Amino acid sequence: MSTLREATRAYYAGDKQEAVSGLMSAAQSGHPAAQWKLGRMFASGDGVAEDDLKAFEFFNQLVASHGTDAPSSPDAPFVANAFVEIGSYYLKGISNSAVTPNVDRAREIFSYAASYFGDAVAQLQLGKMYLEGLGGDQDPRQAARWFQLAARKGQVDAQYHLGQMLVNGDQIDPNPVLGLMWLTVALKHADLSRGDEAAIRQAHEEAFSLASLDERRKAIALAEQWLADNRALYASPNANMLAVTEQASAVGQ
């Protein structure tokens, strides 16, 4: 823990070389947060040369040792996110490596992280795969189910996808009021999304223009109530997996 604390301080002080050295030491001792952080650093080239295979290996070490830890454990957010990262690598593969695209494997991994850990990003990715029929049968109703689970956790992209499905009636029963509600909620926090903020805004504007005055009023009221009831999702990094990076910064402090 002391090594991890020092590495964390070095990282936020801008001394990435010292941070990597400390994180490597902590990772070799099996510390989940260090393994996760190194995976993220190699994935993005943050203070190290970008190397997806090394990132994959650190994420793999983490899930191999802690993949069955309790979902309530302090390290669960790191483990769950590592599963998501691995699943994402299997979706596209890693050039010049043995990690080749395998959508079946990706779907299995997202399913585990979504079901066991209740990870919102995994639920979003699983919903997309069901919607597109990747790695298995196409099932819009299952897609909507997973989008809804993630949406209720504050996952903005899931709120956007669910809203669109409900507004358009994409192979599910249309519900323009609930659809516009979710698009309104998504637009409120679109800056948290890694996706396309402009796409969320456009979808909201289109749904709003098509809705009747009564539907607009009902949707806005529902959105305002939902946002009021769920402020903690956006205020607490522990409750919102979009903020998992911020969780890491607090480790050992």
Side-chain angles (χ1 to χ4, degrees), residues 68-77 115-118:
T68 58
D69 284 6
S72 59
S73 70
D75 293 319
S115 302
Y116 184 72
F117 287 102

Side-chain angles (χ1 to χ4, degrees), residues 93-230:
I94 299 175
S95 300
N96 302 315
S97 79
V99 183
T100 56
N102 188 333
V103 292
D104 292 345
R105 181 64 176 142
R107 186 151 156 172
E108 288 175 4
I109 291 170
F110 289 138
S111 294
Y112 181 76
S115 302
Y116 184 72
F117 287 102
D119 182 89
V121 179
Q123 290 169 344
L124 166 69
Q125 295 288 11
L126 188 57
K128 288 180 178 180
M129 296 192 81
Y130 272 112
L131 188 61
E132 298 172 20
L134 294 175
D137 293 336
Q138 187 178 32
D139 191 334
R141 290 188 179 277
Q142 279 291 341
R145 172 179 173 268
W146 287 111
F147 287 147
Q148 185 175 57
L149 288 170
R152 288 174 174 171
K153 294 184 175 76
Q155 220 295 329
V156 176
D157 288 327
Q159 294 166 348
Y160 160 65
H161 284 291
L162 178 61
Q164 278 200 310
M165 291 186 75
L166 288 168
V167 167
N168 298 328
D170 291 339
Q171 300 182 63
I172 62 171
D173 295 333
N175 190 323
V177 171
L178 280 180
L180 182 55
M181 178 211 109
W182 280 118
L183 289 172
T184 302
V185 169
L187 184 61
K188 177 68 175 179
H189 293 285
D191 58 312
L192 295 178
S193 172
R194 293 181 181 178
D196 189 347
E197 183 175 344
I200 297 174
R201 188 173 301 279
Q202 181 178 347
H204 179 270
E205 290 175 357
E206 290 177 357
F208 193 83
S209 67
L210 293 171
S212 67
L213 181 59
D214 185 55
E215 288 171 338
R216 292 176 187 176
R217 287 174 175 168
K218 288 178 179 178
I220 291 171
L222 287 172
E224 288 177 348
Q225 186 62 56
W226 192 92
L227 288 165
D229 292 342
N230 292 277

